[in-house]
């Protein structure tokens, strides 16, 4: 396909997907990237340099990523014109090239355009938001034993309140909906009907099952001891409560799990290791205190979209902050890697913030395409660089004896430590 503003690297080839969803990865794969708004312009070039260095170190001239810039957010509006925050060809390029990476994108609060991040996830049905949370030795943490926090979050990424079905207080549609609720459904407890905004929270059986299936499969593949369904099903019975019920059903029906003490918790035998995997649940509020008090009891987390958003940042803080919190948005075939954090606008363009989250997202990407040697180099040099105490402001302000380095300085130190 020819694009309007995207320059396709002449020497690269596309990654393709087989019928069983495995990937064919050429030695010179074209990987699209979105630079991102705000601090995206600081961290994305650093991520690219570090990844290129790791790939060169691991494979010499044999392999090289052919980066292809695609556009979203403010950069897209400049190129494609007013209102064009997420051009069709950007979405198309992500789809066609199978694996891509993005920097953070701004979402205005209250009014303005809908989240481009959410739009991209929904447009490509990237229904898993995968966010591993692990501790790197030497990182300053607010908790006593940060190494006990080792969790992998499976956040449902396609539904819940993020579906964007919302009606502004006082609008014609809000009035219609309130009227419908009153007259057709007998709802008489909207406290201030004239001035209420309304949101709809769709949670489906299919959406829950496919997410929980991935979480349990991950526990099997990575020899993890438990999967926890985090929900607020006591209050939101038919959305979050059903998420829990459908989650347990998935374990029982698809993974041959057996009830523990009459249920609803259950356990299955990991077919690869013979070890038990417990599938349990916890209410979201209780979970937020347990991750601080008893983090070692939680391994794989499966949760709904909004809970997953909150939990991602809270858990990231326990292991040192969102400066090193990576992630991926996944469908069966398409993968878009991105940091957990946002655009941190007050630091934009200052070469200041920690590029670690985006670098570690790229590390996940390298592993995803089977370039494990390059991924290992990144992990190794991240550990070395942090332990040498050459760190960005976020760690430096909490570390004794740290040498504060810039965003690009941290990337450079990582390259030197490879
Ligand atoms: N996937 C995406 O693209 C996401 C986009 N967003 C969007 O980003 C914008 C800003 O959101 P905001 O709520 O400020 O959240 P951010 O995650 O952008 O920033 C919150 C705070 O986190 C810390 N932080 C963020 N990035 C880094 C980094 N790279 N290194 C070190 N510390 C970091 C800073 O803490 P401190 O002040 O302590 O230094 C910062 O002030 C919004 O428009 C939001 O919608 C938000 C999340 C994800
Ligand atoms: O889309 C946004 O602006 C916020 C997204 C977000 O917070 C997240 O993905 O964790
Ligand atoms: Mg978030």
């Amino acid at each position: 396909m020819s694009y309007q503003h995207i320059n396709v690297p002449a020497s690269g080839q596309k990654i393709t997907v087989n019928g069983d969803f495995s990937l064919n990865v050429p030695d010179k794969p074209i990987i699209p990237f979105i630079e991102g708004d705000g601090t995206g312009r600081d961290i994305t070039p650093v991520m690219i340099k570090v990844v290129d260095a790791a790939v060169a170190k691991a494979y010499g001239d044999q392999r090289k990523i052919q980066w292809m810039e695609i556009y979203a957010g403010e950069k897209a509006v400049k190129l494609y014109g007013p209102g064009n925050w997420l051009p069709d060809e950007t979405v198309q390029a992500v789809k066609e090239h199978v694996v891509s990476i993005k920097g953070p994108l701004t979402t205005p609060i209250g009014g303005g355009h809908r989240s481009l991040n959410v739009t991209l996830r929904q447009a490509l049905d990237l229904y898993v938001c995968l966010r591993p949370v692990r501790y790197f030795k030497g990182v300053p943490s607010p908790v006593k034993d940060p190494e006990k926090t080792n969790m992998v979050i499976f956040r449902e990424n396609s539904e819940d309140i993020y579906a964007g079905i919302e009606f502004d207080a006082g609008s014609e549609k809000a009035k219609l909906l309130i009227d419908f609720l009153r007259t057709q459904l007998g709802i008489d407890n909207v406290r201030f009907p004239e001035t209420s905004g309304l949101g709809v929270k769709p949670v489906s059986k299919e959406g829950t099952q496919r997410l929980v299936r991935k979480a349990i499969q991950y526990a099997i593949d990575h020899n993890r001891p438990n999967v926890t369904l985090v929900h607020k099903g006591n209050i939101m019975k038919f959305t979050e409560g059903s998420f829990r019920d459908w989650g347990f059903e998935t374990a029982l029906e698809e993974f041959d799990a057996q009830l523990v003490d009459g249920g609803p918790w259950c356990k299955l035998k990991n077919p690869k290791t013979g070890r038990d995997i417990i599938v349990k649940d916890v209410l979201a509020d209780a979970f937020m205190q347990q991750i601080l008090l008893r983090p070692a009891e939680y391994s794989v987390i499966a949760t709904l979209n909004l809970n997953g958003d909150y939990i991602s940042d809270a858990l990231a803080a326990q292991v040192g902050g969102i400066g090193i919190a990576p992630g991926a948005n996944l469908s069966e075939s398409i993968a878009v890697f991105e940091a957990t954090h946002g655009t941190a606008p007050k630091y934009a363009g200052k070469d200041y913030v920690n590029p670690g989250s985006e670098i570690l997202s790229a590390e996940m990407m390298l592993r995803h395409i089977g370039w494990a040697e390059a991924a290992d180099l990144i992990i190794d040099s991240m550990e070395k660089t942090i332990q040498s105490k050459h760190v960005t402001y976020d760690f430096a302000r909490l570390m004794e004896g740290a040498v504060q380095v810039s965003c690009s300085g941290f990337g450079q130190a990582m390259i030197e430590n490879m």
Side-chain angles (χ1 to χ4, degrees):
M1 157 165 185
S2 69
Y3 297 110
Q4 190 189 355
H5 289 297
I6 300 172
N7 292 317
V8 182
S11 54
Q13 288 172 305
K14 280 182 188 163
I15 293 174
T16 57
V17 188
N18 298 311
D20 64 355
F21 300 118
S22 61
L23 301 180
N24 304 307
V25 181
D27 284 339
K28 307 264 154 60
I30 298 175
I31 298 202
F33 72 96
I34 294 169
E35 182 183 80
D37 295 327
T39 50
R41 86 183 85 134
D42 303 293
I43 60 178
T44 299
V46 174
M47 175 279 292
I48 288 176
K49 269 194 188 159
V50 171
V51 170
D52 283 347
V55 170
K57 176 106 184 165
Y59 311 114
D61 292 337
Q62 197 206 328
R63 286 179 172 168
K64 184 167 176 31
I65 291 175
Q66 305 295 305
W67 299 100
M68 179 174 86
E69 181 158 17
I70 60 173
Y71 304 93
E74 288 153 23
K75 234 175 159 175
V77 169
K78 277 196 195 124
L79 259 179
Y80 293 79
N84 221 336
W85 297 97
L86 185 63
D88 289 345
E89 68 176 25
T90 296
V91 179
Q92 194 55 31
V94 169
K95 196 171 167 182
E96 280 177 7
H97 292 83
V98 180
V99 174
S100 58
I101 186 160
K102 64 175 281 294
L105 293 166
T106 304
T107 311
I109 298 170
H113 62 268
R114 278 195 68 207
S115 164
L116 307 173
N117 308 302
V118 173
T119 306
L120 189 61
R121 294 167 192 167
Q122 288 175 350
L124 298 170
D125 200 24
L126 305 168
Y127 66 90
V128 174
C129 180
L130 175 65
R131 290 179 166 170
V133 183
R134 56 160 288 195
Y135 180 64
F136 283 91
K137 201 163 159 237
V139 170
S141 156
V143 301
K144 235 182 3 198
D145 302 308
E147 66 286 345
K148 288 188 179 163
T149 300
N150 184 356
M151 298 184 213
V152 180
I153 303 164
F154 281 75
R155 166 189 176 190
E156 204 292 320
N157 221 12
S158 67
E159 46 184 20
D160 195 355
I161 200 72
Y162 285 69
I165 310 167
E166 285 195 301
F167 304 99
D168 201 4
S171 66
E172 208 42 51
K173 286 183 179 172
K175 280 187 199 148
L176 271 174
L177 186 50
I178 286 181
D179 193 49
F180 181 82
L181 290 170
R182 273 169 160 171
T183 58
Q184 305 296 307
L185 302 179
I187 305 292
D188 58 7
N189 59 351
V190 177
R191 181 68 188 83
F192 298 109
E194 307 304 321
T195 59
S196 288
L198 298 173
V200 178
K201 178 181 172 80
V203 175
S204 69
K205 184 169 182 174
E206 288 91 330
T208 300
Q209 286 178 325
R210 65 183 184 170
L211 187 270
V212 174
R213 190 178 297 130
K214 285 282 183 207
I216 296 176
Q217 192 58 50
Y218 182 96
I220 291 172
D221 294 341
H222 296 83
N223 195 19
R224 292 279 187 149
N226 56 66
V227 176
T228 305
L229 309 169
V230 182
H231 61 86
K232 189 73 183 167
N234 49 346
I235 303 299
M236 292 169 274
K237 295 181 193 298
F238 305 126
T239 50
E240 306 235 349
S242 299
F243 176 88
R244 179 193 87 143
D245 294 345
W246 293 323
F248 281 130
E249 222 174 275
T250 307
L252 294 169
E253 290 175 6
E254 296 185 24
F255 294 91
D256 202 22
Q258 306 298 314
L259 295 179
V260 175
D261 296 334
W265 290 18
C266 55
K267 68 177 177 191
L268 57 116
K269 274 244 175 302
N270 185 330
K272 297 187 175 172
T273 63
R275 198 175 163 202
D276 279 344
I277 298 174
I278 309 286
V279 182
K280 52 186 179 169
D281 76 306
V282 61
L283 290 170
D285 45 356
F287 183 67
M288 296 310 285
Q289 57 91 33
Q290 294 227 325
I291 55 177
L292 284 168
L293 299 176
R294 287 153 52 187
E297 291 176 24
Y298 297 95
S299 182
V300 177
I301 308 305
T303 193
L304 301 100
N305 210 334
L306 181 60
N307 296 338
D309 197 357
Y310 297 156
I311 289 166
S312 300
D313 282 32
L315 280 177
Q318 279 180 222
V319 294
I322 48 183
I324 51 160
N329 303 290
L330 307 167
S331 72
E332 296 308 336
S333 53
I334 300 168
V336 180
F337 294 82
E338 69 172 338
T340 292
H341 64 65
T343 57
K346 66 186 171 188
Y347 300 127
K350 296 186 172 162
D351 189 20
Y352 190 64
V353 295
N354 193 337
S357 310
E358 202 172 328
I359 293 172
L360 290 174
S361 303
E363 182 272 333
M364 289 173 71
M365 180 178 82
L366 291 169
R367 227 170 269 290
H368 181 79
I369 63 171
W371 293 13
E373 298 80 4
D376 289 344
L377 281 170
I378 289 183
I379 294 290
D380 188 55
S381 76
M382 177 74 74
E383 278 170 350
K384 277 191 197 142
T385 310
I386 291 168
Q387 281 170 38
S388 77
K389 298 195 174 188
H390 285 70
V391 289
T392 44
Y393 83 98
D394 50 329
F395 290 177
R397 70 187 168 189
L398 298 169
M399 235 182 203
E400 252 173 60
V403 177
Q404 185 172 327
V405 296
S406 62
C407 176
S408 58
F410 185 79
Q412 193 50 42
M414 275 192 70
I415 292 169
E416 283 159 19
N417 285 327
M418 265 173 209

